[in-house]
Amino acid sequence: TTQPTLSYCSVDHHTLTLQAVEKSIEIGYRRPGLVIDDSIDRLVQRRFSAGYLIGQQNLLQKDRIPAFLKSSDSPAGLKAFSDWLLRYKPDVLFTLYNLTIHWLEELGFSIPNDIGVMQLEWRPTQPEIAGMHQRNDLTGEAAVDMVISQIHNNERGAPNTPRSTLISPEWRSGTSVSQAKAIQGD
């Protein structure tokens, strides 16, 4: 929150997306694309798109793709996604949603042969989908530690100096990305 600004614990969404871009480049992708709903990005103060934009600084200008921020489970959403995909031709996608995978399949793409997919919130129920493990368990532990500290220090109300504790993500490999992707030429 910003009015008032409160102390908080969270996964580091900026680092998470930056590391996803860096990992995709490391394994050979050259045109990563971010697929996320604008309302989710705004909810985390645009940390997803900020990490994505910073990560793109290591790419050639011609390989920098604007984020797709219009995810909606509707025919219009699929059409907008298809148009974006055909226009920018990403070779790997970062997303929070299984919907993106369903759209790719519906459009006839083979994962990872035609395009790679990385979840920005890796799920143990889908270990085949590579991505960034947000480590929400550690975030919860840090939040409890923060509350205990506030209780011990008799802190009440909005703090004079709000603190943030950010938990770093962890890469999880999966078959949804090519681990030996050849570097694509012009």
Side-chain angles (χ1 to χ4, degrees), residues 35-55:
V35 178
I36 193 166
D37 190 85
D38 189 57
S39 63
I40 298 297
D41 197 33
R42 279 186 283 120
L43 183 67
V44 296
Q45 298 175 321
R46 302 215 179 272
R47 287 182 168 96
F48 284 117
S49 57
Y52 175 67
L53 291 171
I54 295 300

Side-chain angles (χ1 to χ4, degrees), residues 8 23 75 101:
Y8 70 95
K23 187 64 172 178
I101 294 167

